[in-house]
Amino acid sequence: MASFALAHTNLALVKYWGKENEKLRLPSAPSLSLTLDAFYTKTKLSFSKEDRFVLDGKEEKGKEAQRVFSYLSALLSFFRLPPSHFLVDSQNFVPKSAGFASSASAFCALAAAFGKEMGLSLSKRELSVASRLGSGSAARSVFGGFVLWKEGRESEESFAVPIEEKPSMPICVLYLSFGAEKKKVSSTEGMRLSKTSPFFSAWRQECRKACKEARKAIEDNSFERLGQISERNACQMHALTLSCGFSYLSSYSLKAFDLAKEIREEGVSCYWSCDAGSNAALLCRKEDLNFVREKAERAFEGAVSCFPASSGPGVEAWSED
Ligand code: PMV
């Protein structure tokens, strides 16, 4: 028997950036995301004589394999289960070569396949907690559509909840890839450094406020307000890193920021976002996607690859004989 899981990635509209507890991955503030339909990870997990990790058809023995098996052994002890060995076979439908992070979908799929294979019948809340232990943003991939991840002082208190699993808002994301680059500062290290910023407590308060405002914007079906809130939050995250002497932004990321503004000046709602890398994302309404894409392709003249996405579903897991 083997267990399978399929989980989609998500884009944070209010970002998770800072941990209160590194080991438990308890965030310093709540975050809010949109699960995406275009990018996902499919994982097959079964018992095995020895630990083996196959990624996209290729056996992995390095750091990635280490991270997978130390996570699985953390899950075994979290659920008070005896030590076991596994064969993990994952396929990433996330364009990693274009510099996209896949940890959210990867760890959510792994947690769900593990739960299934161990016969744990995990609730969505427990699955979110278990995914969080692998990668913070994975906690949110348990659900589809708009998702809120609560902070929380204890491990069991910090999990994601769905806000609107099938959004009525016609929101789209156009990812702009400027090519893969070796990340200079990992997100773990970036978060650690950011906590030393004199602005960190303001950032934390801003995220709490932004989550409340974003929920209201979703409730009111206001793309305009949600876009403004998420662009402001992304700017604040990158201002925070700069205040600690490092940045993920490149001249391309900043050009994408100007482009969103230019598009707005033409009367089309378009907002910028950027995570812990230089690739940017533009948020727009579904009906404006082609217009925004043409604008981006023209502005970057071949230096960009565009990947459109819209709202996607939560994680799914099943077993097969
Ligand atoms: O889950 P991690 O450790 O990959 O961190 C994700 C950090 C951001 O992508 C920048 C923000 C977020 O909330 O997804």
Side-chain angles (χ1 to χ4, degrees):
M1 198 191 83
S3 296
F4 294 78
L6 197 152
H8 289 75
T9 58
N10 64 77
L11 171 70
L13 304 177
V14 178
K15 314 260 182 223
Y16 147 58
W17 196 251
K19 298 183 186 85
E20 284 310 283
N21 180 321
E22 281 209 9
K23 192 160 175 269
L24 294 174
R25 292 194 162 81
L26 291 176
S28 300
S31 57
L32 190 148
S33 59
L34 177 69
T35 300
L36 301 172
D37 58 353
F39 316 125
Y40 57 95
T41 301
K42 187 177 171 191
T43 291
K44 176 181 173 187
L45 182 140
S46 51
F47 287 107
S48 166
K49 282 207 188 78
E50 47 166 3
D51 285 337
R52 283 181 59 207
F53 178 43
V54 179
L55 180 61
D56 295 328
K58 200 173 134 253
E59 183 113 20
E60 292 280 335
K61 292 197 192 284
K63 263 196 180 157
E64 300 221 32
Q66 251 173 37
R67 190 169 169 195
V68 164
F69 293 111
S70 66
Y71 172 59
L72 288 173
S73 76
L75 284 185
L76 286 168
S77 56
F78 184 77
F79 291 107
R80 298 177 205 284
L81 293 163
S84 298
H85 293 292
F86 300 100
L87 166 62
V88 177
D89 188 347
S90 278
Q91 277 173 290
N92 252 331
F93 297 88
V94 179
K96 277 190 88 173
S97 58
F100 291 119
S102 59
S103 66
S105 56
F107 282 96
C108 183
L110 192 52
F114 173 87
K116 211 50 194 180
E117 188 65 8
M118 306 309 281
L120 293 173
S121 314
L122 300 177
S123 66
K124 291 271 173 85
R125 178 189 291 198
E126 289 168 321
L127 188 53
S128 179
V129 169
S131 304
R132 191 200 74 221
L133 297 172
S135 170
S137 51
R140 298 183 307 238
S141 280
V142 168
F143 298 101
F146 291 119
V147 182
L148 176 78
W149 170 20
K150 302 178 179 197
E151 43 189 326
R153 287 168 197 261
E154 306 292 333
S155 189
E156 305 75 55
E157 289 172 3
S158 184
F159 49 85
V161 290
I163 297 179
E164 198 185 0
E165 288 227 69
K166 290 197 172 122
S168 44
M169 189 186 289
I171 186 169
C172 266
V173 178
L174 184 69
Y175 270 100
L176 305 181
S177 164
F178 310 114
E181 20 131 270
K182 182 92 188 82
K183 216 191 258 185
K184 284 176 237 115
V185 184
S186 70
S187 57
T188 301
E189 188 52 26
M191 290 187 204
R192 209 175 276 154
L193 285 169
S194 297
K195 280 200 80 177
T196 66
S197 168
F199 307 128
F200 191 78
S201 72
W203 159 249
R204 198 176 183 190
Q205 293 308 328
E206 284 295 305
C207 289
R208 288 176 177 151
K209 199 172 93 194
C211 278
K212 284 195 189 127
E213 289 172 352
R215 287 190 78 161
K216 180 81 177 70
I218 292 165
E219 210 178 290
D220 296 345
N221 208 11
S222 172
F223 170 74
E224 202 66 46
R225 252 165 41 221
L226 186 62
Q228 284 165 2
I229 294 160
S230 45
E231 185 174 288
R232 189 184 62 208
N233 184 262
C235 288
Q236 289 172 343
M237 177 192 134
H238 291 281
L240 188 71
T241 69
L242 270 170
S243 74
C244 300
F246 71 103
S247 179
Y248 295 106
L249 303 177
S250 69
S251 56
Y252 287 127
S253 338
L254 292 170
K255 192 170 168 167
F257 178 76
D258 288 339
L259 180 67
K261 216 180 213 168
E262 244 174 73
I263 294 175
R264 287 202 294 275
E265 278 161 9
E266 289 187 38
V268 171
S269 288
C270 178
Y271 296 93
W272 174 89
S273 187
C274 188
D275 284 329
S278 67
N279 292 333
L282 296 177
L283 303 174
C284 65
R285 289 194 178 91
K286 238 170 227 164
E287 67 258 32
D288 296 324
L289 183 65
N290 285 340
F291 176 80
V292 171
R293 186 179 183 148
E294 274 165 29
K295 280 275 182 196
E297 279 166 351
R298 208 167 312 138
F300 290 100
E301 292 170 353
V304 69
S305 307
C306 295
F307 297 88
S310 56
S311 168
V315 66
E316 246 185 275
W318 66 96
S319 291
E320 281 174 23
D321 285 328

